Amino acid sequence: MSQISVTRRSTALSLPNILTYARLLAVPAVAACLFWPHEFAMRWLALGIYALAAVTDYLDGYLARAWSQQSAIGRMLDPIADKVLVSATLLMLAASGDIRSWSLWAAIIILSREILVSGLREFLAGLRVSVPVSTVAKWKTAAQLLALGFLIVGPAGDAVLPWASRIGIVLLWAAALLTLYTGWDYMRAGVRHLIEADRKNG
């Protein structure tokens, strides 16, 4: 076996990447638990899996930088894992009725922004342009993670912490408003680089 293939395998199986793989595997696990939204035990199990997945979101990037184990597969899969986890959870919460009525618009805003940013990042990557994560985007992510956590536990959480579900809805709207702001920032950056690229090609 060549040294190159050994290096590639060791990079693919580094701890930061394993944590990213685990976050992807958490997606069907959380979704499966939410198929029984009226079972409080399944709600708490879904919250536990979701919380562990959220922790890996921080750890994989931190360890990759601290141990100099950043890799192409990690950079590709990390944002994908985040977006799939958020999107699948929002869909399951909408299906269970935890997100309903006007609050569905908050979920639509968040999902639309994820698609928009993915497209813009792919376009900007082709131009070799990177868009740094802003402080507001970090606040959005924190509000989003907390909102989904409260909504996942739902009525089971209400029995322990009154208004847990309503706290989740308030945080979901906060995340949606921050999403609009950060989405506009990404859109401005994308359009600016698009215009510059057209000028160069013209």
Side-chain angles (χ1 to χ4, degrees), residues 102-126:
W102 288 101
S103 295
L104 286 170
W105 283 106
I108 290 170
I109 289 169
I110 291 171
L111 285 173
S112 298
R113 187 263 189 190
E114 299 297 349
I115 296 170
L116 170 68
V117 170
S118 295
L120 282 175
R121 283 192 180 278
E122 183 177 349
F123 164 71
L124 294 176

PDB file of all heavy atoms in Angstrom, residues 102-126:
ATOM      1  N   TRP A 102     -48.432  30.323  11.714  1.00  0.00           N
ATOM      2  CA  TRP A 102     -47.506  31.356  11.252  1.00  0.00           C
ATOM      3  C   TRP A 102     -46.048  30.992  11.493  1.00  0.00           C
ATOM      4  O   TRP A 102     -45.162  31.498  10.798  1.00  0.00           O
ATOM      5  CB  TRP A 102     -47.828  32.687  11.940  1.00  0.00           C
ATOM      6  CG  TRP A 102     -49.094  33.300  11.437  1.00  0.00           C
ATOM      7  CD1 TRP A 102     -50.310  33.273  12.052  1.00  0.00           C
ATOM      8  CD2 TRP A 102     -49.291  33.992  10.205  1.00  0.00           C
ATOM      9  NE1 TRP A 102     -51.260  33.908  11.293  1.00  0.00           N
ATOM     10  CE2 TRP A 102     -50.655  34.370  10.144  1.00  0.00           C
ATOM     11  CE3 TRP A 102     -48.458  34.341   9.144  1.00  0.00           C
ATOM     12  CZ2 TRP A 102     -51.198  35.067   9.066  1.00  0.00           C
ATOM     13  CZ3 TRP A 102     -48.994  35.041   8.070  1.00  0.00           C
ATOM     14  CH2 TRP A 102     -50.330  35.400   8.038  1.00  0.00           C
ATOM     15  N   SER A 103     -45.792  30.131  12.474  1.00  0.00           N
ATOM     16  CA  SER A 103     -44.402  29.756  12.780  1.00  0.00           C
ATOM     17  C   SER A 103     -43.771  28.936  11.675  1.00  0.00           C
ATOM     18  O   SER A 103     -42.548  28.801  11.613  1.00  0.00           O
ATOM     19  CB  SER A 103     -44.339  28.984  14.107  1.00  0.00           C
ATOM     20  OG  SER A 103     -44.717  29.827  15.177  1.00  0.00           O
ATOM     21  N   LEU A 104     -44.618  28.370  10.789  1.00  0.00           N
ATOM     22  CA  LEU A 104     -44.070  27.659   9.636  1.00  0.00           C
ATOM     23  C   LEU A 104     -43.251  28.596   8.758  1.00  0.00           C
ATOM     24  O   LEU A 104     -42.302  28.173   8.104  1.00  0.00           O
ATOM     25  CB  LEU A 104     -45.200  27.026   8.818  1.00  0.00           C
ATOM     26  CG  LEU A 104     -45.856  25.780   9.430  1.00  0.00           C
ATOM     27  CD1 LEU A 104     -47.103  25.403   8.659  1.00  0.00           C
ATOM     28  CD2 LEU A 104     -44.864  24.612   9.447  1.00  0.00           C
ATOM     29  N   TRP A 105     -43.623  29.902   8.751  1.00  0.00           N
ATOM     30  CA  TRP A 105     -42.861  30.858   7.959  1.00  0.00           C
ATOM     31  C   TRP A 105     -41.439  31.003   8.473  1.00  0.00           C
ATOM     32  O   TRP A 105     -40.502  31.202   7.693  1.00  0.00           O
ATOM     33  CB  TRP A 105     -43.570  32.214   7.941  1.00  0.00           C
ATOM     34  CG  TRP A 105     -44.731  32.248   7.012  1.00  0.00           C
ATOM     35  CD1 TRP A 105     -46.047  32.228   7.343  1.00  0.00           C
ATOM     36  CD2 TRP A 105     -44.683  32.244   5.577  1.00  0.00           C
ATOM     37  NE1 TRP A 105     -46.831  32.229   6.203  1.00  0.00           N
ATOM     38  CE2 TRP A 105     -46.015  32.251   5.111  1.00  0.00           C
ATOM     39  CE3 TRP A 105     -43.646  32.248   4.643  1.00  0.00           C
ATOM     40  CZ2 TRP A 105     -46.335  32.250   3.749  1.00  0.00           C
ATOM     41  CZ3 TRP A 105     -43.961  32.255   3.292  1.00  0.00           C
ATOM     42  CH2 TRP A 105     -45.281  32.253   2.860  1.00  0.00           C
ATOM     43  N   ALA A 106     -41.278  30.913   9.781  1.00  0.00           N
ATOM     44  CA  ALA A 106     -39.925  30.975  10.345  1.00  0.00           C
ATOM     45  C   ALA A 106     -39.097  29.799   9.843  1.00  0.00           C
ATOM     46  O   ALA A 106     -37.927  29.956   9.473  1.00  0.00           O
ATOM     47  CB  ALA A 106     -39.980  30.973  11.879  1.00  0.00           C
ATOM     48  N   ALA A 107     -39.713  28.606   9.820  1.00  0.00           N
ATOM     49  CA  ALA A 107     -39.010  27.423   9.315  1.00  0.00           C
ATOM     50  C   ALA A 107     -38.686  27.568   7.834  1.00  0.00           C
ATOM     51  O   ALA A 107     -37.594  27.196   7.382  1.00  0.00           O
ATOM     52  CB  ALA A 107     -39.858  26.175   9.560  1.00  0.00           C
ATOM     53  N   ILE A 108     -39.630  28.129   7.057  1.00  0.00           N
ATOM     54  CA  ILE A 108     -39.406  28.323   5.622  1.00  0.00           C
ATOM     55  C   ILE A 108     -38.253  29.294   5.386  1.00  0.00           C
ATOM     56  O   ILE A 108     -37.407  29.082   4.505  1.00  0.00           O
ATOM     57  CB  ILE A 108     -40.698  28.835   4.949  1.00  0.00           C
ATOM     58  CG1 ILE A 108     -41.748  27.727   4.935  1.00  0.00           C
ATOM     59  CG2 ILE A 108     -40.420  29.324   3.530  1.00  0.00           C
ATOM     60  CD1 ILE A 108     -43.132  28.192   4.525  1.00  0.00           C
ATOM     61  N   ILE A 109     -38.212  30.368   6.176  1.00  0.00           N
ATOM     62  CA  ILE A 109     -37.118  31.341   6.053  1.00  0.00           C
ATOM     63  C   ILE A 109     -35.773  30.672   6.306  1.00  0.00           C
ATOM     64  O   ILE A 109     -34.803  30.865   5.554  1.00  0.00           O
ATOM     65  CB  ILE A 109     -37.333  32.512   7.035  1.00  0.00           C
ATOM     66  CG1 ILE A 109     -38.506  33.374   6.579  1.00  0.00           C
ATOM     67  CG2 ILE A 109     -36.068  33.368   7.155  1.00  0.00           C
ATOM     68  CD1 ILE A 109     -38.959  34.399   7.606  1.00  0.00           C
ATOM     69  N   ILE A 110     -35.704  29.875   7.365  1.00  0.00           N
ATOM     70  CA  ILE A 110     -34.443  29.210   7.720  1.00  0.00           C
ATOM     71  C   ILE A 110     -34.022  28.225   6.634  1.00  0.00           C
ATOM     72  O   ILE A 110     -32.860  28.190   6.213  1.00  0.00           O
ATOM     73  CB  ILE A 110     -34.574  28.507   9.082  1.00  0.00           C
ATOM     74  CG1 ILE A 110     -34.701  29.555  10.196  1.00  0.00           C
ATOM     75  CG2 ILE A 110     -33.380  27.590   9.351  1.00  0.00           C
ATOM     76  CD1 ILE A 110     -35.053  28.986  11.555  1.00  0.00           C
ATOM     77  N   LEU A 111     -34.977  27.422   6.146  1.00  0.00           N
ATOM     78  CA  LEU A 111     -34.653  26.442   5.103  1.00  0.00           C
ATOM     79  C   LEU A 111     -34.236  27.142   3.805  1.00  0.00           C
ATOM     80  O   LEU A 111     -33.292  26.712   3.140  1.00  0.00           O
ATOM     81  CB  LEU A 111     -35.858  25.542   4.837  1.00  0.00           C
ATOM     82  CG  LEU A 111     -36.152  24.474   5.892  1.00  0.00           C
ATOM     83  CD1 LEU A 111     -37.474  23.782   5.589  1.00  0.00           C
ATOM     84  CD2 LEU A 111     -35.026  23.445   5.956  1.00  0.00           C
ATOM     85  N   SER A 112     -34.930  28.217   3.462  1.00  0.00           N
ATOM     86  CA  SER A 112     -34.603  28.945   2.232  1.00  0.00           C
ATOM     87  C   SER A 112     -33.203  29.535   2.311  1.00  0.00           C
ATOM     88  O   SER A 112     -32.446  29.512   1.339  1.00  0.00           O
ATOM     89  CB  SER A 112     -35.621  30.059   1.984  1.00  0.00           C
ATOM     90  OG  SER A 112     -36.913  29.521   1.818  1.00  0.00           O
ATOM     91  N   ARG A 113     -32.863  30.050   3.478  1.00  0.00           N
ATOM     92  CA  ARG A 113     -31.523  30.634   3.656  1.00  0.00           C
ATOM     93  C   ARG A 113     -30.446  29.565   3.510  1.00  0.00           C
ATOM     94  O   ARG A 113     -29.389  29.804   2.930  1.00  0.00           O
ATOM     95  CB  ARG A 113     -31.454  31.290   5.029  1.00  0.00           C
ATOM     96  CG  ARG A 113     -30.176  32.086   5.293  1.00  0.00           C
ATOM     97  CD  ARG A 113     -29.184  31.272   6.061  1.00  0.00           C
ATOM     98  NE  ARG A 113     -28.039  32.071   6.498  1.00  0.00           N
ATOM     99  CZ  ARG A 113     -26.953  31.541   7.017  1.00  0.00           C
ATOM    100  NH1 ARG A 113     -26.837  30.248   7.159  1.00  0.00           N
ATOM    101  NH2 ARG A 113     -25.956  32.329   7.392  1.00  0.00           N
ATOM    102  N   GLU A 114     -30.702  28.363   4.045  1.00  0.00           N
ATOM    103  CA  GLU A 114     -29.716  27.285   3.937  1.00  0.00           C
ATOM    104  C   GLU A 114     -29.448  26.944   2.474  1.00  0.00           C
ATOM    105  O   GLU A 114     -28.306  26.732   2.063  1.00  0.00           O
ATOM    106  CB  GLU A 114     -30.199  26.039   4.691  1.00  0.00           C
ATOM    107  CG  GLU A 114     -30.420  26.223   6.186  1.00  0.00           C
ATOM    108  CD  GLU A 114     -29.147  26.572   6.937  1.00  0.00           C
ATOM    109  OE1 GLU A 114     -28.049  26.469   6.362  1.00  0.00           O
ATOM    110  OE2 GLU A 114     -29.257  26.957   8.112  1.00  0.00           O
ATOM    111  N   ILE A 115     -30.519  26.897   1.681  1.00  0.00           N
ATOM    112  CA  ILE A 115     -30.367  26.597   0.250  1.00  0.00           C
ATOM    113  C   ILE A 115     -29.629  27.734  -0.452  1.00  0.00           C
ATOM    114  O   ILE A 115     -28.728  27.511  -1.272  1.00  0.00           O
ATOM    115  CB  ILE A 115     -31.749  26.366  -0.393  1.00  0.00           C
ATOM    116  CG1 ILE A 115     -32.403  25.125   0.212  1.00  0.00           C
ATOM    117  CG2 ILE A 115     -31.616  26.228  -1.912  1.00  0.00           C
ATOM    118  CD1 ILE A 115     -33.855  24.940  -0.174  1.00  0.00           C
ATOM    119  N   LEU A 116     -29.994  28.972  -0.120  1.00  0.00           N
ATOM    120  CA  LEU A 116     -29.364  30.138  -0.724  1.00  0.00           C
ATOM    121  C   LEU A 116     -27.871  30.174  -0.435  1.00  0.00           C
ATOM    122  O   LEU A 116     -27.045  30.352  -1.349  1.00  0.00           O
ATOM    123  CB  LEU A 116     -30.018  31.416  -0.199  1.00  0.00           C
ATOM    124  CG  LEU A 116     -29.316  32.739  -0.544  1.00  0.00           C
ATOM    125  CD1 LEU A 116     -29.419  33.018  -2.034  1.00  0.00           C
ATOM    126  CD2 LEU A 116     -29.896  33.893   0.263  1.00  0.00           C
ATOM    127  N   VAL A 117     -27.519  29.979   0.834  1.00  0.00           N
ATOM    128  CA  VAL A 117     -26.110  30.051   1.222  1.00  0.00           C
ATOM    129  C   VAL A 117     -25.317  28.917   0.585  1.00  0.00           C
ATOM    130  O   VAL A 117     -24.175  29.115   0.153  1.00  0.00           O
ATOM    131  CB  VAL A 117     -25.971  30.026   2.755  1.00  0.00           C
ATOM    132  CG1 VAL A 117     -24.516  29.853   3.172  1.00  0.00           C
ATOM    133  CG2 VAL A 117     -26.527  31.312   3.349  1.00  0.00           C
ATOM    134  N   SER A 118     -25.909  27.729   0.505  1.00  0.00           N
ATOM    135  CA  SER A 118     -25.212  26.602  -0.133  1.00  0.00           C
ATOM    136  C   SER A 118     -24.904  26.927  -1.590  1.00  0.00           C
ATOM    137  O   SER A 118     -23.789  26.680  -2.072  1.00  0.00           O
ATOM    138  CB  SER A 118     -26.076  25.337  -0.057  1.00  0.00           C
ATOM    139  OG  SER A 118     -26.242  24.926   1.278  1.00  0.00           O
ATOM    140  N   GLY A 119     -25.890  27.498  -2.297  1.00  0.00           N
ATOM    141  CA  GLY A 119     -25.664  27.862  -3.694  1.00  0.00           C
ATOM    142  C   GLY A 119     -24.621  28.948  -3.848  1.00  0.00           C
ATOM    143  O   GLY A 119     -23.755  28.867  -4.728  1.00  0.00           O
ATOM    144  N   LEU A 120     -24.678  29.953  -2.975  1.00  0.00           N
ATOM    145  CA  LEU A 120     -23.709  31.044  -3.049  1.00  0.00           C
ATOM    146  C   LEU A 120     -22.301  30.565  -2.727  1.00  0.00           C
ATOM    147  O   LEU A 120     -21.334  30.974  -3.376  1.00  0.00           O
ATOM    148  CB  LEU A 120     -24.111  32.157  -2.075  1.00  0.00           C
ATOM    149  CG  LEU A 120     -25.242  33.089  -2.538  1.00  0.00           C
ATOM    150  CD1 LEU A 120     -25.612  34.061  -1.436  1.00  0.00           C
ATOM    151  CD2 LEU A 120     -24.834  33.845  -3.801  1.00  0.00           C
ATOM    152  N   ARG A 121     -22.192  29.715  -1.716  1.00  0.00           N
ATOM    153  CA  ARG A 121     -20.869  29.208  -1.353  1.00  0.00           C
ATOM    154  C   ARG A 121     -20.267  28.396  -2.493  1.00  0.00           C
ATOM    155  O   ARG A 121     -19.077  28.476  -2.768  1.00  0.00           O
ATOM    156  CB  ARG A 121     -20.951  28.350  -0.082  1.00  0.00           C
ATOM    157  CG  ARG A 121     -21.087  29.174   1.190  1.00  0.00           C
ATOM    158  CD  ARG A 121     -20.873  28.306   2.410  1.00  0.00           C
ATOM    159  NE  ARG A 121     -21.001  29.063   3.636  1.00  0.00           N
ATOM    160  CZ  ARG A 121     -20.044  29.808   4.164  1.00  0.00           C
ATOM    161  NH1 ARG A 121     -18.869  29.901   3.553  1.00  0.00           N
ATOM    162  NH2 ARG A 121     -20.242  30.457   5.302  1.00  0.00           N
ATOM    163  N   GLU A 122     -21.112  27.609  -3.173  1.00  0.00           N
ATOM    164  CA  GLU A 122     -20.617  26.816  -4.306  1.00  0.00           C
ATOM    165  C   GLU A 122     -20.159  27.737  -5.434  1.00  0.00           C
ATOM    166  O   GLU A 122     -19.113  27.515  -6.046  1.00  0.00           O
ATOM    167  CB  GLU A 122     -21.723  25.888  -4.802  1.00  0.00           C
ATOM    168  CG  GLU A 122     -21.280  24.970  -5.922  1.00  0.00           C
ATOM    169  CD  GLU A 122     -22.361  24.002  -6.358  1.00  0.00           C
ATOM    170  OE1 GLU A 122     -23.388  23.900  -5.639  1.00  0.00           O
ATOM    171  OE2 GLU A 122     -22.184  23.350  -7.392  1.00  0.00           O
ATOM    172  N   PHE A 123     -20.933  28.785  -5.689  1.00  0.00           N
ATOM    173  CA  PHE A 123     -20.574  29.746  -6.735  1.00  0.00           C
ATOM    174  C   PHE A 123     -19.285  30.481  -6.384  1.00  0.00           C
ATOM    175  O   PHE A 123     -18.366  30.599  -7.209  1.00  0.00           O
ATOM    176  CB  PHE A 123     -21.711  30.750  -6.925  1.00  0.00           C
ATOM    177  CG  PHE A 123     -21.317  31.979  -7.683  1.00  0.00           C
ATOM    178  CD1 PHE A 123     -21.045  31.928  -9.047  1.00  0.00           C
ATOM    179  CD2 PHE A 123     -21.182  33.201  -7.037  1.00  0.00           C
ATOM    180  CE1 PHE A 123     -20.666  33.059  -9.743  1.00  0.00           C
ATOM    181  CE2 PHE A 123     -20.805  34.337  -7.729  1.00  0.00           C
ATOM    182  CZ  PHE A 123     -20.551  34.266  -9.086  1.00  0.00           C
ATOM    183  N   LEU A 124     -19.183  30.977  -5.144  1.00  0.00           N
ATOM    184  CA  LEU A 124     -18.007  31.731  -4.729  1.00  0.00           C
ATOM    185  C   LEU A 124     -16.769  30.850  -4.653  1.00  0.00           C
ATOM    186  O   LEU A 124     -15.659  31.322  -4.884  1.00  0.00           O
ATOM    187  CB  LEU A 124     -18.263  32.402  -3.371  1.00  0.00           C
ATOM    188  CG  LEU A 124     -19.332  33.501  -3.373  1.00  0.00           C
ATOM    189  CD1 LEU A 124     -19.573  34.022  -1.970  1.00  0.00           C
ATOM    190  CD2 LEU A 124     -18.926  34.642  -4.304  1.00  0.00           C
ATOM    191  N   ALA A 125     -16.972  29.567  -4.327  1.00  0.00           N
ATOM    192  CA  ALA A 125     -15.830  28.649  -4.292  1.00  0.00           C
ATOM    193  C   ALA A 125     -15.220  28.514  -5.686  1.00  0.00           C
ATOM    194  O   ALA A 125     -14.007  28.393  -5.839  1.00  0.00           O
ATOM    195  CB  ALA A 125     -16.266  27.277  -3.768  1.00  0.00           C
ATOM    196  N   GLY A 126     -16.088  28.554  -6.721  1.00  0.00           N
ATOM    197  CA  GLY A 126     -15.586  28.499  -8.094  1.00  0.00           C
ATOM    198  C   GLY A 126     -14.744  29.713  -8.443  1.00  0.00           C
ATOM    199  O   GLY A 126     -13.861  29.636  -9.296  1.00  0.00           O
TER     200      GLY A 126
END
